[in-house]
Amino acid sequence: MPSPYQHFNLHSPSLAYNLLQDTPERETLVYLPSSYQTEPDRRYPVIYLLHGFGGTAKGWFSEQPGEPSLHQTMAQLIATKQVEEMIIVVPENSTRFTCTGYNNNDVQGHWLDFICHDLVNAIETEYRCLGGAKHRALMGHSSGADAVLKTLFYKPGFFQHAFAMSPANLHSDDAVFFKQLFSDNHAALMQAAQGELAIEQLDVWQHLIICRLQHALPDVNNPPLYCRFPEQESDWQQLATHAFNCVIPTHGQHLKDVNIAIDIGSQEDTHQSCLNLVKQFNQSGVAVELFEFDGGHVDHMGKSLAYVLPWLSRALTSTD
């Protein structure tokens, strides 16, 4: 059976020289519509799909009972004329700390620049794409959904359409939650900071904490974690400034001309926080369409594609 995607590798200048020594050589999986080979003069809109913590690019193409894959869903949606043919690009964003935090900094590398500059330029050079922001869409799940919103906030003008699936960065404004999470994991984090516990032995939650600290409280002279731990109230406040509800007042104007949708599961512990975020967006003049589903954080990803992809297809074709 032929592969549902092509492998495309690129070197990212934006990720070179990161202090964590994660490779700037990035594998990317590219789904091409069936007409790509038979219509050599045709160009296509592009969706860029970002995976989350603990996920992989290949995971979106895995075929599991009850959890439809990306290519299977696209085949069905095209057959039923619910989507137009599109190119879908899924970069592999795993790092030494499980997955990138999708930030721009010297510790982790400049991941937002990787998405907007290195990745987009490489894909539009290699493949027959309709260029320009109006023909590009960005989608992601969990921390990949966080990346969608971060990109719109901090790198405006690159994507006109975006879908954030179950964003994860919704506890950052909850000091009690993050303080408890940090306290529960403090012993392991201290061992890792002192070189007594290998980074690879830390779990996903501990990697996530470190990732947040590397961005909010970086310390480039403090390997192997390259961050400092919160010690006083101002440190916790610094962490909170990166929460989306704090960013909307200063950067929300960048999203006003973008087609945006967000979904959240009724069983996710961030459900109410997400509803509050969408309400804040809409009150600030940023129109966001909300989708709610009956499920949790990771048990509905494939099923959600049945409405995410048609929504993005409609947004992309409405600009023609």
Side-chain angles (χ1 to χ4, degrees), residues 95-116:
T95 69
R96 192 175 176 213
F97 284 87
T98 302
C99 180
T100 173
Y102 297 106
N103 298 302
N104 267 4
N105 58 52
D106 291 338
V107 176
Q108 301 167 355
H110 291 74
W111 280 92
L112 299 183
D113 291 343
F114 161 72
I115 295 167
C116 295

Side-chain angles (χ1 to χ4, degrees), residues 211-228:
C211 182
R212 298 263 178 95
L213 294 176
Q214 286 170 343
H215 188 57
L217 302 173
D219 186 347
V220 299
N221 297 313
N222 188 23
L225 302 187
Y226 294 102
C227 63
R228 59 186 179 86

Side-chain angles (χ1 to χ4, degrees), residues 177-192:
F177 173 85
F178 201 83
K179 285 179 179 178
Q180 186 62 54
L181 184 65
F182 180 77
S183 176
D184 291 344
N185 291 277
H186 185 264
L189 295 173
M190 283 297 297
Q191 286 183 293

Side-chain angles (χ1 to χ4, degrees), residues 141 165-167 263-272 293 295-298:
H141 176 264
M165 303 168 64
S166 296
D263 78 355
I264 195 70
S266 60
Q267 298 174 33
E268 298 191 59
D269 59 4
T270 54
H271 178 254
Q272 188 58 51
F293 59 86
H297 192 64
V298 296

Side-chain angles (χ1 to χ4, degrees), residues 284-299:
S284 69
V286 178
V288 174
E289 188 171 351
L290 175 66
F291 291 77
E292 295 182 75
F293 59 86
D294 182 17
H297 192 64
V298 296
D299 60 4

Side-chain angles (χ1 to χ4, degrees), residues 4-299:
Y5 52 78
Q6 289 189 357
H7 289 270
F8 178 74
N9 296 311
L10 70 148
H11 172 81
S12 169
S14 300
L15 302 182
Y17 310 113
N18 68 84
L19 295 181
L20 304 181
Q21 299 182 350
D22 285 316
T23 179
E25 309 300 324
R26 287 288 144 184
E27 179 187 32
T28 301
L29 309 183
V30 181
Y31 161 89
L32 297 174
S34 59
S35 65
Y36 192 87
Q37 304 301 332
T38 59
E39 301 181 34
D41 295 327
R42 184 175 175 182
R43 294 185 176 273
Y44 300 82
V46 185
I47 296 176
Y48 294 84
L49 168 56
L50 307 175
H51 69 76
F53 256 75
T56 64
K58 291 180 180 178
W60 286 96
F61 295 94
S62 63
E63 300 182 16
Q64 302 175 11
E67 191 68 7
S69 66
L70 177 62
H71 59 287
Q72 290 173 326
T73 303
M74 278 296 293
Q76 181 179 3
L77 293 173
I78 290 172
T80 54
K81 302 186 184 305
Q82 296 181 67
V83 301
E84 299 293 329
E85 290 192 314
M86 303 173 286
I87 296 172
I88 303 178
V89 177
V90 192
E92 178 53 62
N93 298 330
S94 297
T95 69
R96 192 175 176 213
F97 284 87
T98 302
C99 180
T100 173
Y102 297 106
N103 298 302
N104 267 4
N105 58 52
D106 291 338
V107 176
Q108 301 167 355
H110 291 74
W111 280 92
L112 299 183
D113 291 343
F114 161 72
I115 295 167
C116 295
H117 298 287
D118 305 348
L119 181 61
V120 167
N121 290 342
I123 292 297
E124 293 190 356
T125 299
E126 182 70 16
Y127 295 94
R128 299 195 309 276
C129 308
L130 290 168
K134 70 178 183 178
H135 298 299
R136 299 183 199 125
L138 190 62
M139 64 177 285
H141 176 264
S142 191
S143 61
D146 296 345
V148 169
L149 298 178
K150 290 178 186 179
T151 302
L152 300 180
F153 279 129
Y154 299 118
K155 302 289 291 184
F158 287 92
F159 297 92
Q160 184 108 21
H161 322 283
F163 204 118
M165 303 168 64
S166 296
N169 188 24
L170 300 175
H171 280 313
S172 295
D173 58 333
D174 186 344
V176 174
F177 173 85
F178 201 83
K179 285 179 179 178
Q180 186 62 54
L181 184 65
F182 180 77
S183 176
D184 291 344
N185 291 277
H186 185 264
L189 295 173
M190 283 297 297
Q191 286 183 293
Q194 295 167 0
E196 299 172 357
L197 183 65
I199 290 170
E200 290 73 18
Q201 293 180 269
L202 298 174
D203 65 24
V204 172
W205 279 105
Q206 291 156 0
H207 282 185
L208 182 60
I209 293 170
I210 294 169
C211 182
R212 298 263 178 95
L213 294 176
Q214 286 170 343
H215 188 57
L217 302 173
D219 186 347
V220 299
N221 297 313
N222 188 23
L225 302 187
Y226 294 102
C227 63
R228 59 186 179 86
F229 293 161
E231 296 179 350
Q232 50 196 2
E233 191 59 33
S234 60
D235 293 334
W236 297 108
Q237 293 174 358
Q238 179 64 21
L239 278 162
T241 62
H242 297 278
F244 293 137
N245 66 323
C246 296
V247 177
I248 290 175
T250 56
H251 291 75
Q253 71 275 11
H254 294 157
L255 283 65
K256 290 187 176 180
D257 295 325
V258 181
N259 297 313
I260 307 172
I262 295 176
D263 78 355
I264 195 70
S266 60
Q267 298 174 33
E268 298 191 59
D269 59 4
T270 54
H271 178 254
Q272 188 58 51
S273 295
C274 188
L275 299 186
N276 295 340
L277 178 68
V278 171
K279 181 179 180 180
Q280 185 181 359
F281 269 126
N282 290 328
Q283 289 177 339
S284 69
V286 178
V288 174
E289 188 171 351
L290 175 66
F291 291 77
E292 295 182 75
F293 59 86
D294 182 17
H297 192 64
V298 296
D299 60 4

